[in-house]
Amino acid sequence: MNDDSTGASRGGRPPGGPLRDRFADEPHAVMERINASIGFDRRLYAHDIEASRAHCDMLVARRIIPEADGREILKGLDKIEEEIASGAFAFSPALEDIHMHVEARLTELVGDAGGRLHTARSRNDQVATDLRLWVRDAIDETRAALASLQETLLTRAGEHAATIMPGFTHLQSAQPVTLGHHLLAYFEMFDRDRSRLADCRRRLNRCPLGSGALAGTSIPIDRDMTAEALGFDGPTANSMDAVSDRDFAVEFLACLSLVAVHLSRIAEEIVLWSTAQFGFVSLPDALATGSSMMPQKRNPDAAELVRGKAGRVVGALNALLILLKGLPLTYSKDMQEDKEPVFDAADSVSLCVAAVTAMVADMTVHAAAMEDAAGRGHATATDLAEWLVKELSMPFREAHRTTARIVRLADSKGVAIGDLSLDEMRGIEPGIAAEAIDALGVRDSVSSRASHGGAAPERVRRAVDEARRRLAET
Ligand code: ARG
């Protein structure tokens, strides 16, 4: 017989957990397994407790709960925070999630007062608040880590403002540049990433707490007070939106995806540059790995893993978008699946930023090999075309054609364009003077590119100073 006597025989407590008062039967084993999120959402504990403190203070201030109960609740929350931080806290899947764990332990510790904390609150506005607080901290941490990577890029760019290297398009020699200029390109990417994360934070910073399950509450709460206590700019405007909105998490993952893509690009360059074929840099022993079979190997595993983890981060963004697509308002349990991708992407990016920072800081640069490579592939042909434009007032199209003929001549003789004689060049364009050949050296070529944002060492030095100012300001 299925009657109320089961509950009654347990002193009125529900079978299978505190939320089952309306049920007669215990949950199926699989129900508990699929329902529980405590395995991962315990990471929200500090934010959950912080939000509970703010909620409690507000309930007391509005005389919704007695002051004495408020004091007990705060004491209990302190104790729970300590227990979880020290590892002494007992977690159980029967209590589903972090919110129920904190509440159940609170009631154990302080009795009936604990049961008052959930006044005018639902786990729906609670989890929306906790996750916003968690993501907000993660944004701050990611921005700080990126700033230190940028700092490292500036240090190396300053050291190598005049170190010549080949610049590539299509991974074919294009024009000589400097390593400093190349590294500053990454400074810009990470600067945009930091700015995007700051935008995301600005939009995220509204407090859902007090939205209730979906429709607000009849209890006379003060949402501005809780919002302010938690460092938000104010409460969210619509209770239904507040409990179902995860845009902030999507935006965060979009920002992280782009960070991961940028990291994977510099990682790929480190992989290429550290090959015997390029020979531009070497990673220190501490940042390389060996092979189990080939004794000579020195593998850039960290760089490869940074490249690989980008897929995982972009995957997290996809997972969240697909999770939210088509969900009716307001909260659905699907949304419990939002946390793991957010945590995993944040962890992966944090690790990758640290790995790239270490590789950029500690890689040894082989300046001679870089400069040597910079001269290959007629990389200064554009300089000859520009000389024809500047000195002979030739239309650029014609200069391009003339230079292409000179390149062909050099190729047919198996030499670099700079090694052709003046007479050989004049055979193609009689106006060419000896200075044109001087302009074909890689150093002259790079120094001449002094336009705003260009690769000339003088420019790069100024760009490093300017970037340093920008980094200090934002
Ligand atoms: N653990 C849940 C989550 O992460 C908390 C919200 C539960 N709300 C509910 N109505 N069952 O989404």
Side-chain angles (χ1 to χ4, degrees):
M1 200 176 69
N2 243 345
D3 63 18
D4 288 336
S5 62
T6 335
S9 72
R10 296 171 181 218
R13 287 320 304 157
L19 301 182
R20 301 184 63 86
D21 288 324
R22 64 156 343 279
F23 301 127
D25 295 333
E26 305 240 356
H28 194 292
V30 78
M31 186 60 220
E32 196 168 282
R33 265 172 56 217
I34 194 168
N35 204 32
S37 53
I38 190 61
F40 48 87
D41 71 11
R42 65 175 71 180
R43 278 185 78 163
L44 296 174
Y45 84 89
H47 300 97
D48 192 74
I49 289 172
E50 188 190 350
S52 283
R53 283 190 186 111
H55 187 64
C56 173
D57 289 342
M58 183 277 292
L59 293 174
V60 169
R62 298 288 291 162
R63 303 188 184 290
I64 296 165
I65 66 171
E67 226 178 296
D69 284 356
R71 271 197 303 273
E72 285 301 296
I73 290 171
L74 294 179
K75 261 199 278 170
L77 289 173
D78 287 349
K79 175 107 179 47
I80 295 168
E81 191 169 34
E82 250 175 61
E83 287 177 355
I84 299 180
S86 70
F89 193 90
F91 291 100
S92 141
L95 287 170
E96 289 188 27
D97 56 25
I98 187 63
H99 325 294
M100 294 314 303
H101 274 81
V102 172
E103 190 184 324
R105 179 71 180 131
L106 186 65
T107 310
E108 248 172 53
L109 288 170
V110 308
D112 284 348
R116 292 191 192 276
L117 178 61
H118 213 56
T119 313
R121 188 177 78 170
S122 154
R123 280 186 296 162
N124 297 352
D125 57 346
Q126 225 185 326
V127 74
T129 305
D130 293 1
L131 192 59
R132 280 189 196 232
L133 290 171
W134 193 93
V135 170
R136 193 174 70 185
D137 281 353
I139 288 174
D140 294 345
E141 282 158 27
T142 311
R143 291 188 78 242
L146 285 173
S148 80
L149 169 55
Q150 287 180 287
E151 189 76 56
T152 304
L153 285 164
L154 289 183
T155 304
R156 303 288 342 235
E159 282 164 34
H160 293 286
T163 302
I164 309 288
M165 73 176 284
F168 300 94
T169 63
H170 312 268
L171 200 55
Q172 305 284 322
S173 279
Q175 291 185 286
V177 294
T178 66
L179 177 59
H181 197 52
H182 195 123
L183 294 176
L184 285 182
Y186 285 101
F187 176 93
E188 294 300 323
M189 291 179 230
F190 297 123
D191 216 42
R192 290 193 294 275
D193 288 329
R194 274 193 319 118
S195 139
R196 252 184 298 272
L197 283 161
D199 285 347
C200 170
R201 190 191 201 282
R202 219 168 291 130
R203 251 184 314 281
L204 162 155
N205 211 28
R206 293 268 151 196
C207 186
L209 202 58
S211 297
L214 77 161
T217 172
S218 67
I219 294 168
I221 56 172
D222 180 350
R223 292 195 58 204
D224 290 292
M225 183 180 166
T226 34
E228 198 188 321
L230 294 170
F232 287 109
D233 297 328
T236 51
N238 179 296
S239 63
M240 296 181 74
D241 177 48
V243 296
S244 66
D245 170 34
R246 294 292 183 273
D247 291 2
F248 63 94
V250 172
E251 282 189 45
F252 176 55
L253 292 186
C255 294
L256 290 188
S257 294
L258 206 40
V259 172
V261 165
H262 292 152
L263 291 170
S264 82
R265 294 182 76 169
I266 195 168
E268 166 64 4
E269 307 223 77
I270 292 171
V271 169
L272 283 173
W273 294 351
S274 61
T275 57
Q277 288 71 17
F278 273 79
F280 291 181
V281 301
S282 337
L283 290 172
D285 290 354
L287 288 168
T289 48
S291 154
S292 61
M293 182 177 164
M294 299 166 284
Q296 85 284 9
K297 285 306 283 287
R298 214 188 150 67
N299 293 329
D301 289 30
E304 294 165 80
L305 284 163
V306 169
R307 201 172 57 184
K309 280 179 196 289
R312 185 165 163 168
V313 177
V314 176
L317 170 63
N318 256 308
L320 191 56
L321 285 169
I322 296 168
L323 178 75
L324 295 170
K325 180 202 156 296
L327 281 188
L329 292 185
T330 51
Y331 178 84
S332 296
K333 196 65 177 250
D334 313 43
M335 288 163 72
Q336 180 163 283
E337 294 284 311
D338 60 1
K339 287 161 210 67
E340 286 167 292
V342 169
F343 295 156
D344 187 69
D347 291 343
S348 300
V349 166
S350 151
L351 186 57
C352 291
V353 174
V356 168
T357 305
M359 288 187 283
V360 171
D362 296 346
M363 67 190 181
T364 304
V365 171
H366 304 303
M370 279 190 170
E371 181 162 347
D372 183 48
R376 281 184 238 142
H378 310 301
T380 54
T382 309
D383 296 283
L384 178 57
E386 289 183 358
W387 187 91
L388 296 171
V389 167
K390 285 183 289 187
E391 302 302 324
L392 306 185
S393 300
M394 203 180 265
F396 182 75
R397 266 297 145 247
E398 191 186 330
H400 186 279
R401 213 177 307 126
T402 305
T403 306
R405 287 173 62 206
I406 292 171
V407 167
R408 251 165 54 202
L409 177 66
D411 273 345
S412 71
K413 295 184 176 283
V415 297
I417 43 170
D419 296 332
L420 289 172
S421 69
L422 190 55
D423 283 345
E424 284 169 323
M425 288 215 192
R426 280 184 170 153
I428 291 173
E429 169 47 58
I432 290 180
E435 303 81 71
I437 299 185
D438 295 342
L440 297 182
V442 286
R443 289 193 166 266
D444 297 287
S445 164
V446 173
S447 305
S448 73
R449 253 156 311 96
S451 55
H452 186 113
E458 204 27 61
R459 269 284 172 195
V460 172
R461 275 184 208 103
R462 270 188 286 156
V464 169
D465 293 341
E466 189 272 329
R468 205 158 260 141
R469 272 194 297 278
R470 236 192 301 157
L471 187 58
E473 278 164 17
T474 51

